[in-house]
Amino acid sequence: MNTLRCRKKLTVFLLLFNIILIFSQETLIKDQDYWFYYDKGYLESDWTNLKNLTNWQKGLTPIGYGDKKLTTTISYGGDKEKNISLNILKNIVIDDDYIAYEFKLKRDDGAVVYVNGKELFRDNMPNITIGKTTLASSTTKGAEEKKYYQHFLKTIFL
């Protein structure tokens, strides 16, 4: 009788442990984190695999130009030719500890996210080859500029 009672308690404990593990969260990238950024114009398509970042600067997020809410203000280029894109890099470790990851992205106007040089997802970007003249699919205005856009990805895609 005592053994049966112990098994029931153990089963309940293991079940609770599994539920907690599935729904646990760990923040890998936080607001106000440091990122490397390149604001000197267009980079070739292999920029996601760069190891030498000596020409890059480092700043706290949010990074951009033209908004009061920014922590790091970047160059937008010359008056005749403005940079329409910003390349930013951050080294993080993504492992198989979780079955899926949630990405929350605040962007203005669009973004393409890469992991280990491989495109992971696009947000408000056209489904074409991205180049120096590629614009977002639509312009972000007002409250949309403060919104976080969520993407859920299984670990097997990372």
Side-chain angles (χ1 to χ4, degrees), residues 5 26 33 36 45 49 56 61 89 93 96 101 107 121-122 125 138 140 145 148 155:
R5 186 176 295 159
E26 179 181 352
D33 266 0
F36 288 98
S45 60
N49 294 313
W56 292 56
T61 59
L89 282 171
V93 175
D96 294 337
Y101 282 88
R107 48 96 179 136
F121 64 85
R122 294 175 183 211
M125 293 297 291
S138 62
T140 304
E145 291 180 342
Y148 282 92
T155 305

Side-chain angles (χ1 to χ4, degrees), residues 68-81:
K68 294 176 184 174
K69 64 184 178 226
L70 300 171
T71 304
T72 302
T73 301
I74 62 166
S75 169
Y76 60 84
D79 288 333
K80 292 183 181 180
E81 190 173 324

Side-chain angles (χ1 to χ4, degrees), residues 43-59:
L43 291 170
E44 296 302 320
S45 60
D46 64 346
W47 71 270
T48 58
N49 294 313
L50 288 176
K51 304 290 184 240
N52 182 356
L53 301 176
T54 54
N55 292 331
W56 292 56
Q57 296 180 34
K58 195 172 184 179

Side-chain angles (χ1 to χ4, degrees), residues 1-156:
M1 190 76 144
N2 241 353
T3 308
L4 183 60
R5 186 176 295 159
C6 285
R7 281 189 191 159
K8 285 184 180 180
K9 287 181 180 178
L10 182 60
T11 303
V12 170
F13 172 73
L14 290 175
L15 180 62
L16 287 173
F17 178 76
N18 285 335
I19 291 172
I20 291 168
L21 183 63
I22 290 171
F23 292 108
S24 67
Q25 293 184 351
E26 179 181 352
T27 303
L28 299 177
I29 301 173
K30 301 171 187 79
D31 199 16
Q32 296 287 306
D33 266 0
Y34 278 100
W35 286 71
F36 288 98
Y37 66 93
Y38 187 84
D39 63 350
K40 295 175 179 64
Y42 180 72
L43 291 170
E44 296 302 320
S45 60
D46 64 346
W47 71 270
T48 58
N49 294 313
L50 288 176
K51 304 290 184 240
N52 182 356
L53 301 176
T54 54
N55 292 331
W56 292 56
Q57 296 180 34
K58 195 172 184 179
L60 288 170
T61 59
I63 298 172
Y65 64 84
D67 285 321
K68 294 176 184 174
K69 64 184 178 226
L70 300 171
T71 304
T72 302
T73 301
I74 62 166
S75 169
Y76 60 84
D79 288 333
K80 292 183 181 180
E81 190 173 324
K82 295 193 184 331
N83 299 331
I84 61 169
S85 64
L86 170 65
N87 301 81
I88 59 174
L89 282 171
K90 180 161 188 68
N91 292 320
I92 61 169
V93 175
I94 297 178
D95 52 34
D96 294 337
D97 288 349
Y98 303 102
I99 57 173
Y101 282 88
E102 174 187 15
F103 290 83
K104 290 183 181 178
L105 173 70
K106 187 189 283 187
R107 48 96 179 136
D108 182 5
D109 291 314
V112 182
V113 175
Y114 300 86
V115 172
N116 294 330
K118 184 176 84 174
E119 185 178 317
L120 199 57
F121 64 85
R122 294 175 183 211
D123 195 291
N124 198 34
M125 293 297 291
N127 193 18
I128 61 173
T129 301
I130 302 295
K132 68 179 182 179
T133 60
T134 307
L135 297 174
S137 299
S138 62
T139 303
T140 304
K141 296 178 181 176
E144 286 183 349
E145 291 180 342
K146 296 175 184 156
K147 180 179 175 183
Y148 282 92
Y149 297 87
Q150 292 179 306
H151 297 269
F152 294 93
L153 297 162
K154 293 182 179 179
T155 305
I156 59 172

